PDB file of all heavy atoms in Angstrom:
ATOM      1  N   MET A   1     -91.324 -20.816 -64.148  1.00  0.00           N
ATOM      2  CA  MET A   1     -90.237 -21.660 -63.642  1.00  0.00           C
ATOM      3  C   MET A   1     -89.497 -22.348 -64.793  1.00  0.00           C
ATOM      4  O   MET A   1     -88.282 -22.454 -64.800  1.00  0.00           O
ATOM      5  CB  MET A   1     -90.791 -22.697 -62.675  1.00  0.00           C
ATOM      6  CG  MET A   1     -89.750 -23.699 -62.173  1.00  0.00           C
ATOM      7  SD  MET A   1     -88.383 -22.926 -61.273  1.00  0.00           S
ATOM      8  CE  MET A   1     -89.216 -22.564 -59.729  1.00  0.00           C
ATOM      9  N   PHE A   2     -90.276 -22.827 -65.780  1.00  0.00           N
ATOM     10  CA  PHE A   2     -89.641 -23.514 -66.907  1.00  0.00           C
ATOM     11  C   PHE A   2     -88.718 -22.586 -67.668  1.00  0.00           C
ATOM     12  O   PHE A   2     -87.582 -22.956 -68.018  1.00  0.00           O
ATOM     13  CB  PHE A   2     -90.706 -24.074 -67.848  1.00  0.00           C
ATOM     14  CG  PHE A   2     -90.130 -24.634 -69.127  1.00  0.00           C
ATOM     15  CD1 PHE A   2     -89.479 -25.859 -69.132  1.00  0.00           C
ATOM     16  CD2 PHE A   2     -90.210 -23.916 -70.315  1.00  0.00           C
ATOM     17  CE1 PHE A   2     -88.914 -26.374 -70.308  1.00  0.00           C
ATOM     18  CE2 PHE A   2     -89.661 -24.413 -71.482  1.00  0.00           C
ATOM     19  CZ  PHE A   2     -89.020 -25.650 -71.480  1.00  0.00           C
ATOM     20  N   LEU A   3     -89.196 -21.351 -67.939  1.00  0.00           N
ATOM     21  CA  LEU A   3     -88.383 -20.398 -68.690  1.00  0.00           C
ATOM     22  C   LEU A   3     -87.137 -20.002 -67.896  1.00  0.00           C
ATOM     23  O   LEU A   3     -86.048 -19.835 -68.467  1.00  0.00           O
ATOM     24  CB  LEU A   3     -89.207 -19.160 -69.034  1.00  0.00           C
ATOM     25  CG  LEU A   3     -90.338 -19.371 -70.054  1.00  0.00           C
ATOM     26  CD1 LEU A   3     -91.113 -18.080 -70.277  1.00  0.00           C
ATOM     27  CD2 LEU A   3     -89.765 -19.881 -71.383  1.00  0.00           C
ATOM     28  N   THR A   4     -87.296 -19.858 -66.585  1.00  0.00           N
ATOM     29  CA  THR A   4     -86.156 -19.525 -65.728  1.00  0.00           C
ATOM     30  C   THR A   4     -85.126 -20.639 -65.756  1.00  0.00           C
ATOM     31  O   THR A   4     -83.921 -20.398 -65.889  1.00  0.00           O
ATOM     32  CB  THR A   4     -86.619 -19.295 -64.279  1.00  0.00           C
ATOM     33  OG1 THR A   4     -87.555 -18.222 -64.250  1.00  0.00           O
ATOM     34  CG2 THR A   4     -85.436 -18.964 -63.376  1.00  0.00           C
ATOM     35  N   ARG A   5     -85.595 -21.873 -65.625  1.00  0.00           N
ATOM     36  CA  ARG A   5     -84.711 -23.025 -65.652  1.00  0.00           C
ATOM     37  C   ARG A   5     -84.009 -23.153 -67.006  1.00  0.00           C
ATOM     38  O   ARG A   5     -82.812 -23.440 -67.079  1.00  0.00           O
ATOM     39  CB  ARG A   5     -85.515 -24.296 -65.356  1.00  0.00           C
ATOM     40  CG  ARG A   5     -84.674 -25.575 -65.273  1.00  0.00           C
ATOM     41  CD  ARG A   5     -85.553 -26.761 -64.953  1.00  0.00           C
ATOM     42  NE  ARG A   5     -84.789 -27.992 -64.938  1.00  0.00           N
ATOM     43  CZ  ARG A   5     -84.129 -28.471 -63.903  1.00  0.00           C
ATOM     44  NH1 ARG A   5     -84.144 -27.796 -62.758  1.00  0.00           N
ATOM     45  NH2 ARG A   5     -83.462 -29.606 -63.976  1.00  0.00           N
ATOM     46  N   LEU A   6     -84.762 -22.907 -68.075  1.00  0.00           N
ATOM     47  CA  LEU A   6     -84.198 -22.988 -69.422  1.00  0.00           C
ATOM     48  C   LEU A   6     -83.132 -21.923 -69.630  1.00  0.00           C
ATOM     49  O   LEU A   6     -82.047 -22.201 -70.150  1.00  0.00           O
ATOM     50  CB  LEU A   6     -85.309 -22.834 -70.461  1.00  0.00           C
ATOM     51  CG  LEU A   6     -84.862 -22.846 -71.932  1.00  0.00           C
ATOM     52  CD1 LEU A   6     -84.228 -24.185 -72.284  1.00  0.00           C
ATOM     53  CD2 LEU A   6     -86.057 -22.565 -72.847  1.00  0.00           C
ATOM     54  N   ALA A   7     -83.440 -20.695 -69.218  1.00  0.00           N
ATOM     55  CA  ALA A   7     -82.501 -19.593 -69.408  1.00  0.00           C
ATOM     56  C   ALA A   7     -81.201 -19.826 -68.638  1.00  0.00           C
ATOM     57  O   ALA A   7     -80.102 -19.644 -69.176  1.00  0.00           O
ATOM     58  CB  ALA A   7     -83.139 -18.283 -68.965  1.00  0.00           C
ATOM     59  N   SER A   8     -81.316 -20.247 -67.384  1.00  0.00           N
ATOM     60  CA  SER A   8     -80.119 -20.490 -66.593  1.00  0.00           C
ATOM     61  C   SER A   8     -79.342 -21.684 -67.135  1.00  0.00           C
ATOM     62  O   SER A   8     -78.107 -21.710 -67.105  1.00  0.00           O
ATOM     63  CB  SER A   8     -80.481 -20.722 -65.120  1.00  0.00           C
ATOM     64  OG  SER A   8     -81.358 -21.827 -64.970  1.00  0.00           O
ATOM     65  N   GLY A   9     -80.059 -22.676 -67.676  1.00  0.00           N
ATOM     66  CA  GLY A   9     -79.399 -23.825 -68.280  1.00  0.00           C
ATOM     67  C   GLY A   9     -78.609 -23.432 -69.511  1.00  0.00           C
ATOM     68  O   GLY A   9     -77.495 -23.934 -69.737  1.00  0.00           O
ATOM     69  N   VAL A  10     -79.159 -22.527 -70.316  1.00  0.00           N
ATOM     70  CA  VAL A  10     -78.462 -22.042 -71.513  1.00  0.00           C
ATOM     71  C   VAL A  10     -77.203 -21.283 -71.121  1.00  0.00           C
ATOM     72  O   VAL A  10     -76.135 -21.453 -71.725  1.00  0.00           O
ATOM     73  CB  VAL A  10     -79.396 -21.148 -72.355  1.00  0.00           C
ATOM     74  CG1 VAL A  10     -78.607 -20.447 -73.460  1.00  0.00           C
ATOM     75  CG2 VAL A  10     -80.522 -21.973 -72.956  1.00  0.00           C
ATOM     76  N   ILE A 238     -78.217 -21.049 -58.850  1.00  0.00           N
ATOM     77  CA  ILE A 238     -78.657 -21.195 -60.234  1.00  0.00           C
ATOM     78  C   ILE A 238     -80.176 -21.251 -60.275  1.00  0.00           C
ATOM     79  O   ILE A 238     -80.771 -22.251 -59.845  1.00  0.00           O
ATOM     80  CB  ILE A 238     -78.066 -22.472 -60.868  1.00  0.00           C
ATOM     81  CG1 ILE A 238     -76.555 -22.521 -60.655  1.00  0.00           C
ATOM     82  CG2 ILE A 238     -78.399 -22.530 -62.358  1.00  0.00           C
ATOM     83  CD1 ILE A 238     -75.935 -23.840 -61.020  1.00  0.00           C
ATOM     84  N   PRO A 239     -80.842 -20.216 -60.761  1.00  0.00           N
ATOM     85  CA  PRO A 239     -82.313 -20.191 -60.773  1.00  0.00           C
ATOM     86  C   PRO A 239     -82.911 -21.406 -61.485  1.00  0.00           C
ATOM     87  O   PRO A 239     -82.528 -21.736 -62.607  1.00  0.00           O
ATOM     88  CB  PRO A 239     -82.639 -18.891 -61.537  1.00  0.00           C
ATOM     89  CG  PRO A 239     -81.437 -18.029 -61.325  1.00  0.00           C
ATOM     90  CD  PRO A 239     -80.268 -18.971 -61.315  1.00  0.00           C
ATOM     91  N   GLY A 240     -83.816 -22.070 -60.809  1.00  0.00           N
ATOM     92  CA  GLY A 240     -84.484 -23.216 -61.399  1.00  0.00           C
ATOM     93  C   GLY A 240     -83.729 -24.519 -61.259  1.00  0.00           C
ATOM     94  O   GLY A 240     -84.261 -25.595 -61.566  1.00  0.00           O
ATOM     95  N   HIS A 241     -82.474 -24.461 -60.812  1.00  0.00           N
ATOM     96  CA  HIS A 241     -81.654 -25.667 -60.692  1.00  0.00           C
ATOM     97  C   HIS A 241     -81.180 -25.936 -59.271  1.00  0.00           C
ATOM     98  O   HIS A 241     -80.905 -27.071 -58.907  1.00  0.00           O
ATOM     99  CB  HIS A 241     -80.416 -25.566 -61.599  1.00  0.00           C
ATOM    100  CG  HIS A 241     -80.742 -25.575 -63.051  1.00  0.00           C
ATOM    101  ND1 HIS A 241     -80.858 -26.728 -63.802  1.00  0.00           N
ATOM    102  CD2 HIS A 241     -80.987 -24.548 -63.918  1.00  0.00           C
ATOM    103  CE1 HIS A 241     -81.147 -26.421 -65.051  1.00  0.00           C
ATOM    104  NE2 HIS A 241     -81.233 -25.110 -65.159  1.00  0.00           N
TER     105      HIS A 241
END
Side-chain angles (χ1 to χ4, degrees):
M1 175 61 75
F2 172 75
L3 291 178
T4 300
R5 184 179 177 86
L6 178 63
S8 59
V10 170
I238 309 170
H241 293 272

